[in-house]
PDB file of all heavy atoms in Angstrom:
ATOM      1  N   THR A 267     111.841  95.793 117.930  1.00  0.00           N
ATOM      2  CA  THR A 267     110.586  96.480 117.723  1.00  0.00           C
ATOM      3  C   THR A 267     110.004  96.136 116.347  1.00  0.00           C
ATOM      4  O   THR A 267     110.723  95.561 115.513  1.00  0.00           O
ATOM      5  CB  THR A 267     110.749  98.030 117.820  1.00  0.00           C
ATOM      6  OG1 THR A 267     109.461  98.653 117.862  1.00  0.00           O
ATOM      7  CG2 THR A 267     111.555  98.602 116.674  1.00  0.00           C
ATOM      8  N   SER A 268     108.752  96.469 116.152  1.00  0.00           N
ATOM      9  CA  SER A 268     108.122  96.304 114.833  1.00  0.00           C
ATOM     10  C   SER A 268     107.892  97.657 114.267  1.00  0.00           C
ATOM     11  O   SER A 268     107.454  98.599 114.908  1.00  0.00           O
ATOM     12  CB  SER A 268     106.758  95.602 114.980  1.00  0.00           C
ATOM     13  OG  SER A 268     106.976  94.293 115.432  1.00  0.00           O
ATOM     14  N   ILE A 269     108.292  97.806 112.980  1.00  0.00           N
ATOM     15  CA  ILE A 269     108.108  99.057 112.296  1.00  0.00           C
ATOM     16  C   ILE A 269     107.210  98.819 111.077  1.00  0.00           C
ATOM     17  O   ILE A 269     107.442  97.910 110.309  1.00  0.00           O
ATOM     18  CB  ILE A 269     109.463  99.673 111.836  1.00  0.00           C
ATOM     19  CG1 ILE A 269     110.362  99.978 113.061  1.00  0.00           C
ATOM     20  CG2 ILE A 269     109.267 100.909 110.967  1.00  0.00           C
ATOM     21  CD1 ILE A 269     111.716 100.411 112.712  1.00  0.00           C
ATOM     22  N   GLN A 270     106.137  99.617 110.967  1.00  0.00           N
ATOM     23  CA  GLN A 270     105.246  99.456 109.816  1.00  0.00           C
ATOM     24  C   GLN A 270     105.761 100.379 108.716  1.00  0.00           C
ATOM     25  O   GLN A 270     105.920 101.550 108.934  1.00  0.00           O
ATOM     26  CB  GLN A 270     103.832  99.818 110.206  1.00  0.00           C
ATOM     27  CG  GLN A 270     102.863  99.612 109.066  1.00  0.00           C
ATOM     28  CD  GLN A 270     101.455  99.872 109.483  1.00  0.00           C
ATOM     29  OE1 GLN A 270     101.080  99.919 110.635  1.00  0.00           O
ATOM     30  NE2 GLN A 270     100.573 100.027 108.500  1.00  0.00           N
ATOM     31  N   VAL A 271     106.040  99.752 107.603  1.00  0.00           N
ATOM     32  CA  VAL A 271     106.576 100.491 106.422  1.00  0.00           C
ATOM     33  C   VAL A 271     105.476 100.618 105.411  1.00  0.00           C
ATOM     34  O   VAL A 271     104.812  99.641 104.995  1.00  0.00           O
ATOM     35  CB  VAL A 271     107.771  99.795 105.850  1.00  0.00           C
ATOM     36  CG1 VAL A 271     108.297 100.481 104.595  1.00  0.00           C
ATOM     37  CG2 VAL A 271     108.883  99.636 106.865  1.00  0.00           C
ATOM     38  N   ARG A 272     105.211 101.890 104.993  1.00  0.00           N
ATOM     39  CA  ARG A 272     104.163 102.142 103.929  1.00  0.00           C
ATOM     40  C   ARG A 272     104.923 102.413 102.658  1.00  0.00           C
ATOM     41  O   ARG A 272     105.658 103.400 102.501  1.00  0.00           O
ATOM     42  CB  ARG A 272     103.323 103.341 104.340  1.00  0.00           C
ATOM     43  CG  ARG A 272     102.087 103.462 103.473  1.00  0.00           C
ATOM     44  CD  ARG A 272     101.154 104.463 104.046  1.00  0.00           C
ATOM     45  NE  ARG A 272     101.835 105.608 104.575  1.00  0.00           N
ATOM     46  CZ  ARG A 272     101.259 106.629 105.207  1.00  0.00           C
ATOM     47  NH1 ARG A 272      99.963 106.615 105.376  1.00  0.00           N
ATOM     48  NH2 ARG A 272     101.975 107.589 105.705  1.00  0.00           N
ATOM     49  N   LEU A 273     104.750 101.513 101.647  1.00  0.00           N
ATOM     50  CA  LEU A 273     105.446 101.568 100.376  1.00  0.00           C
ATOM     51  C   LEU A 273     104.687 102.595  99.462  1.00  0.00           C
ATOM     52  O   LEU A 273     103.520 102.816  99.643  1.00  0.00           O
ATOM     53  CB  LEU A 273     105.482 100.241  99.740  1.00  0.00           C
ATOM     54  CG  LEU A 273     106.187  99.144 100.589  1.00  0.00           C
ATOM     55  CD1 LEU A 273     105.993  97.770 100.006  1.00  0.00           C
ATOM     56  CD2 LEU A 273     107.661  99.422 100.679  1.00  0.00           C
ATOM     57  N   PRO A 274     105.408 103.104  98.462  1.00  0.00           N
ATOM     58  CA  PRO A 274     104.778 104.007  97.510  1.00  0.00           C
ATOM     59  C   PRO A 274     103.569 103.527  96.786  1.00  0.00           C
ATOM     60  O   PRO A 274     102.702 104.267  96.438  1.00  0.00           O
ATOM     61  CB  PRO A 274     105.898 104.323  96.463  1.00  0.00           C
ATOM     62  CG  PRO A 274     107.187 103.979  97.202  1.00  0.00           C
ATOM     63  CD  PRO A 274     106.801 102.901  98.167  1.00  0.00           C
ATOM     64  N   ASN A 275     103.446 102.186  96.594  1.00  0.00           N
ATOM     65  CA  ASN A 275     102.302 101.625  95.928  1.00  0.00           C
ATOM     66  C   ASN A 275     101.108 101.422  96.831  1.00  0.00           C
ATOM     67  O   ASN A 275     100.107 100.859  96.421  1.00  0.00           O
ATOM     68  CB  ASN A 275     102.664 100.272  95.225  1.00  0.00           C
ATOM     69  CG  ASN A 275     103.103  99.223  96.232  1.00  0.00           C
ATOM     70  OD1 ASN A 275     103.022  99.397  97.435  1.00  0.00           O
ATOM     71  ND2 ASN A 275     103.628  98.120  95.707  1.00  0.00           N
ATOM     72  N   GLY A 276     101.234 101.869  98.105  1.00  0.00           N
ATOM     73  CA  GLY A 276     100.152 101.773  99.060  1.00  0.00           C
ATOM     74  C   GLY A 276     100.197 100.543  99.965  1.00  0.00           C
ATOM     75  O   GLY A 276      99.455 100.497 100.957  1.00  0.00           O
ATOM     76  N   LYS A 277     100.990  99.545  99.635  1.00  0.00           N
ATOM     77  CA  LYS A 277     101.095  98.378 100.418  1.00  0.00           C
ATOM     78  C   LYS A 277     101.842  98.695 101.739  1.00  0.00           C
ATOM     79  O   LYS A 277     102.598  99.622 101.800  1.00  0.00           O
ATOM     80  CB  LYS A 277     101.788  97.245  99.689  1.00  0.00           C
ATOM     81  CG  LYS A 277     100.996  96.732  98.528  1.00  0.00           C
ATOM     82  CD  LYS A 277     101.746  95.560  97.843  1.00  0.00           C
ATOM     83  CE  LYS A 277     100.965  95.086  96.640  1.00  0.00           C
ATOM     84  NZ  LYS A 277     101.677  94.006  95.963  1.00  0.00           N
ATOM     85  N   ARG A 278     101.553  97.876 102.714  1.00  0.00           N
ATOM     86  CA  ARG A 278     102.197  98.027 104.019  1.00  0.00           C
ATOM     87  C   ARG A 278     102.973  96.739 104.378  1.00  0.00           C
ATOM     88  O   ARG A 278     102.468  95.659 104.011  1.00  0.00           O
ATOM     89  CB  ARG A 278     101.205  98.332 105.112  1.00  0.00           C
ATOM     90  CG  ARG A 278     100.534  99.663 104.918  1.00  0.00           C
ATOM     91  CD  ARG A 278      99.396  99.854 105.929  1.00  0.00           C
ATOM     92  NE  ARG A 278      98.619 101.028 105.591  1.00  0.00           N
ATOM     93  CZ  ARG A 278      98.750 102.226 106.187  1.00  0.00           C
ATOM     94  NH1 ARG A 278      99.646 102.369 107.120  1.00  0.00           N
ATOM     95  NH2 ARG A 278      97.990 103.187 105.798  1.00  0.00           N
ATOM     96  N   GLN A 279     104.082  96.889 105.052  1.00  0.00           N
ATOM     97  CA  GLN A 279     104.882  95.716 105.442  1.00  0.00           C
ATOM     98  C   GLN A 279     105.363  96.028 106.864  1.00  0.00           C
ATOM     99  O   GLN A 279     105.786  97.137 107.177  1.00  0.00           O
ATOM    100  CB  GLN A 279     106.029  95.530 104.509  1.00  0.00           C
ATOM    101  CG  GLN A 279     106.924  94.413 104.979  1.00  0.00           C
ATOM    102  CD  GLN A 279     107.270  93.456 103.877  1.00  0.00           C
ATOM    103  OE1 GLN A 279     106.993  93.738 102.694  1.00  0.00           O
ATOM    104  NE2 GLN A 279     107.855  92.360 104.188  1.00  0.00           N
ATOM    105  N   VAL A 280     105.255  94.986 107.729  1.00  0.00           N
ATOM    106  CA  VAL A 280     105.779  95.129 109.094  1.00  0.00           C
ATOM    107  C   VAL A 280     107.121  94.482 109.169  1.00  0.00           C
ATOM    108  O   VAL A 280     107.302  93.362 108.710  1.00  0.00           O
ATOM    109  CB  VAL A 280     104.824  94.505 110.116  1.00  0.00           C
ATOM    110  CG1 VAL A 280     105.413  94.570 111.512  1.00  0.00           C
ATOM    111  CG2 VAL A 280     103.461  95.237 110.110  1.00  0.00           C
ATOM    112  N   ILE A 281     108.101  95.212 109.621  1.00  0.00           N
ATOM    113  CA  ILE A 281     109.468  94.724 109.723  1.00  0.00           C
ATOM    114  C   ILE A 281     109.848  94.681 111.221  1.00  0.00           C
ATOM    115  O   ILE A 281     109.717  95.664 111.940  1.00  0.00           O
ATOM    116  CB  ILE A 281     110.458  95.656 108.968  1.00  0.00           C
ATOM    117  CG1 ILE A 281     110.066  95.645 107.478  1.00  0.00           C
ATOM    118  CG2 ILE A 281     111.894  95.255 109.198  1.00  0.00           C
ATOM    119  CD1 ILE A 281     110.841  96.698 106.655  1.00  0.00           C
ATOM    120  N   LYS A 282     110.330  93.491 111.632  1.00  0.00           N
ATOM    121  CA  LYS A 282     110.853  93.322 113.021  1.00  0.00           C
ATOM    122  C   LYS A 282     112.351  93.577 112.918  1.00  0.00           C
ATOM    123  O   LYS A 282     113.026  93.049 112.125  1.00  0.00           O
ATOM    124  CB  LYS A 282     110.623  91.923 113.569  1.00  0.00           C
ATOM    125  CG  LYS A 282     109.162  91.667 113.808  1.00  0.00           C
ATOM    126  CD  LYS A 282     108.690  91.525 115.237  1.00  0.00           C
ATOM    127  CE  LYS A 282     109.522  91.061 116.330  1.00  0.00           C
ATOM    128  NZ  LYS A 282     109.013  91.447 117.671  1.00  0.00           N
ATOM    129  N   ILE A 283     112.839  94.510 113.796  1.00  0.00           N
ATOM    130  CA  ILE A 283     114.232  94.897 113.739  1.00  0.00           C
ATOM    131  C   ILE A 283     114.734  95.150 115.159  1.00  0.00           C
ATOM    132  O   ILE A 283     113.979  95.620 116.023  1.00  0.00           O
ATOM    133  CB  ILE A 283     114.415  96.149 112.796  1.00  0.00           C
ATOM    134  CG1 ILE A 283     115.860  96.361 112.465  1.00  0.00           C
ATOM    135  CG2 ILE A 283     113.698  97.345 113.405  1.00  0.00           C
ATOM    136  CD1 ILE A 283     116.020  97.361 111.316  1.00  0.00           C
TER     137      ILE A 283
END
Side-chain angles (χ1 to χ4, degrees):
T267 189
S268 294
I269 297 174
Q270 183 175 346
V271 177
R272 193 169 39 185
L273 301 169
N275 64 6
K277 293 183 180 177
R278 296 173 189 261
Q279 175 132 11
V280 176
I281 297 173
K282 291 250 332 160
I283 193 166

